[in-house]
Amino acid sequence: MTNQIEDILIWIEKLNHEIYVDIRKDQLQNSDTWYYDEKDGEIRNSSHSFFQIKGLQKIENNHITLEQPIIIQKEIGYLGIICRKIKGTLYFLMQAKIEPGNINKIQISPTIQATKSNCTQQHGGKKPHYLEYFLNASKYNIIVDQIQSEQSSRFYNKRNRNMIIQVDEDIEVLPNFRWMTLYQIKNLMKIDNLVNMDTRTVLSCIPFFNVENDELQQQYLDMIRDQSLVQSIRGEKNNNVIPQIYNYINTYKMYNEAEYRLVPLYSLKTWHMKEGEFVCTNPYSFKVVFCNIEIDGREVKKWTQPLFEATGIATFGLITCVDHGMKKFLVKAISEVGCLDQIEIGPSIQREYIHSKENDSVDCLFDCHLQEGKGILFDTLLSEEGGEILL
């Protein structure tokens, strides 16, 4: 085990040179496990596992206002990290993993990143490493266990189980795994496309405090140099913001009359097969491609699957300010086509490469600061989920 970020980077680089990866686009009809089901109008796996691709239409005032393919993956997957105190410091067991949709090869991933189909070996391969710790999580200190949605612009009602469990026992560290501190992981996030989306999602669930002792909490707060952040953590007394947020979200759910309808792929009038890819006749944020994949070190070494290939680079931005000595963040209630509960709280800016040009005042403020390089605290290119999405 090492405490040096440079050693982690050398380790990643070494693995990238050693691991064989071959991802080639192909035709759907050449796959021996995936096919187009003409009766149901969907792309699916021959074992009826993993995921399917169907059509989705948004209906407003009896008119179709949006239509696209969408991934149906009803099962809830594990996104889990094992942590352990070593010489008084909390370390996280991270995995150097390649997903077929990664823009590069290896990215730093959670200890386990697996669908239910992976865990039950529907692919015919081995079980994911360290699965037994999460199946028996009640034996350990559970720091996080939350169900969170996943990319509702690509997945329909998709959710993952985000978990962090703390163990006290010695664990065999396999070659593609390494203990890292939170400090190291956070610093590695500054490097383009190195820390994957699932790691960032799980770590974002960590509570500010995992102790109930008020005096100990105060000691932790005293260690934070940014007093505006301290005030933000404490919150405002008699603040009515949370009820207002619930009021807005619940009003939207109550009065939103848009209908989202799953339909066969052949019902999508603006989508068609072109040169082996399923594409939109209009500019769109993604297309569906089909790939032959070979990756060393996976539960299954060779397979074929469809992937959603992104168009351009999306932008996610969070605006922050200090208001009366308190750090605040501007969030936005966002509705997406595949969202299980219609609407969720998202960042200030969340837009695809291809998006409406009707920018509001928040977009204009964000773009102005970005163009002038003014007040930028963090600006890095980071990958999306690589299991079904190709960047």
Side-chain angles (χ1 to χ4, degrees):
M1 187 184 67
T2 178
N3 291 323
Q4 299 300 317
I5 291 176
E6 292 77 10
D7 292 326
I8 296 173
L9 294 174
I10 292 171
W11 172 63
I12 294 290
E13 184 178 2
K14 181 175 181 290
L15 289 175
N16 267 324
H17 283 299
E18 292 175 350
I19 296 175
Y20 177 77
V21 177
D22 183 27
I23 300 173
R24 291 172 286 109
K25 290 183 181 180
D26 201 351
Q27 306 281 331
L28 175 61
Q29 59 266 28
N30 294 335
S31 172
D32 56 356
T33 53
W34 289 84
Y35 69 100
Y36 176 65
D37 186 328
E38 294 185 1
K39 179 183 177 182
D40 293 332
E42 65 183 30
I43 298 168
R44 65 183 314 133
N45 184 278
S46 55
S47 66
H48 291 199
S49 57
F50 295 100
F51 62 91
Q52 299 84 44
I53 298 176
K54 290 185 72 79
L56 183 140
Q57 292 176 335
K58 180 179 181 180
I59 313 297
E60 295 179 291
N61 298 321
N62 296 320
H63 290 89
I64 299 172
T65 57
L66 181 147
E67 62 176 12
Q68 66 168 70
I70 198 158
I71 300 170
I72 311 294
Q73 194 172 30
K74 296 180 181 179
E75 56 190 44
I76 295 175
Y78 275 120
L79 299 179
I81 298 177
I82 295 173
C83 65
R84 183 186 176 209
K85 277 190 179 180
I86 303 175
K87 295 181 179 179
T89 300
L90 195 64
Y91 282 80
F92 299 82
L93 186 61
M94 308 307 297
Q95 178 180 185
K97 186 173 185 180
I98 299 173
E99 291 286 2
N102 286 357
I103 196 168
N104 47 2
K105 286 186 181 182
I106 287 173
Q107 295 187 10
I108 295 172
S109 308
T111 315
I112 187 171
Q113 179 180 322
T115 65
K116 184 180 177 181
S117 291
N118 291 133
C119 297
T120 55
Q121 299 171 277
Q122 294 294 319
H123 48 37
K126 300 177 182 178
K127 287 185 179 181
H129 297 304
Y130 304 106
L131 173 62
E132 64 275 12
Y133 288 93
F134 296 92
L135 293 177
N136 299 290
S138 59
K139 293 170 53 179
Y140 307 103
N141 177 23
I142 300 173
I143 296 176
V144 170
D145 191 351
Q146 297 180 10
I147 301 294
Q148 299 283 350
S149 64
E150 179 177 357
Q151 291 179 286
S152 300
S153 62
R154 306 290 197 271
F155 292 87
Y156 184 73
N157 294 355
K158 177 69 169 70
R159 296 179 296 166
N160 284 315
R161 188 175 181 182
N162 290 241
M163 296 184 69
I164 301 177
I165 57 175
Q166 182 179 349
V167 304
D168 296 324
E169 63 199 62
D170 288 335
I171 294 177
E172 180 188 3
V173 179
L174 299 171
N176 278 27
F177 292 79
R178 182 161 290 198
W179 290 109
M180 301 180 192
T181 65
L182 187 59
Y183 171 83
Q184 290 172 338
I185 300 168
K186 295 287 285 184
N187 274 278
L188 291 168
M189 284 186 196
K190 299 175 183 177
I191 301 174
D192 288 354
N193 303 310
L194 182 57
V195 177
N196 84 348
M197 184 192 77
D198 296 321
T199 295
R200 306 193 304 268
T201 298
V202 176
L203 293 182
S204 71
C205 297
I206 296 177
F208 281 111
F209 301 109
N210 201 29
V211 293
E212 297 180 359
N213 186 302
D214 291 339
E215 185 176 341
L216 189 56
Q217 285 190 16
Q218 186 58 50
Q219 290 179 20
Y220 290 151
L221 289 172
D222 291 341
M223 296 171 64
I224 301 175
R225 297 179 182 177
D226 187 346
Q227 283 302 304
S228 66
L229 181 60
V230 172
Q231 296 305 317
S232 182
I233 294 170
R234 282 177 168 164
E236 293 176 299
K237 294 181 179 179
N238 302 320
N239 190 302
N240 196 40
V241 170
I242 299 299
Q244 288 177 0
I245 292 173
Y246 279 126
N247 176 259
Y248 179 87
I249 289 175
N250 291 336
T251 299
Y252 179 91
K253 292 177 183 179
M254 184 174 178
Y255 291 102
N256 175 41
E257 295 184 355
E259 176 188 355
Y260 295 97
R261 181 186 303 164
L262 289 175
V263 298
L265 289 170
Y266 56 72
S267 297
L268 305 181
K269 304 303 182 185
T270 58
W271 288 79
H272 63 281
M273 291 295 295
K274 180 180 179 182
E275 299 177 356
E277 301 177 342
F278 196 50
V279 299
C280 187
T281 54
N282 304 314
Y284 212 76
S285 54
F286 65 84
K287 59 183 177 181
V288 183
V289 300
F290 308 93
C291 295
N292 283 314
I293 300 158
E294 184 174 356
I295 302 176
D296 283 344
R298 298 280 298 222
E299 292 90 353
V300 173
K301 185 177 179 180
K302 292 183 180 181
W303 72 96
T304 60
Q305 73 171 81
L307 289 165
F308 278 37
E309 182 175 0
T311 302
I313 298 174
T315 301
F316 298 87
L318 189 61
I319 297 174
T320 182
C321 72
V322 177
D323 179 26
H324 293 89
M326 179 179 294
K327 188 178 291 293
K328 295 182 178 180
F329 301 87
L330 184 64
V331 298
K332 182 179 182 180
I334 299 172
S335 174
E336 293 185 289
V337 293
C339 184
L340 177 66
D341 209 21
Q342 298 188 47
I343 191 169
E344 293 181 334
I345 294 174
S348 318
I349 301 293
Q350 180 177 326
R351 63 192 183 205
E352 303 278 4
Y353 177 74
I354 296 172
H355 65 281
S356 171
K357 294 183 179 180
E358 297 178 4
N359 292 346
D360 59 19
S361 57
V362 174
D363 286 273
C364 293
L365 174 67
F366 178 83
D367 290 338
C368 179
H369 278 68
L370 197 61
Q371 291 166 8
E372 296 177 1
K374 180 179 168 185
I376 298 174
L377 303 177
F378 184 84
D379 185 5
T380 307
L381 189 66
L382 295 169
S383 295
E384 294 280 7
E385 200 278 337
E388 287 85 16
I389 298 174
L390 179 66
L391 299 176

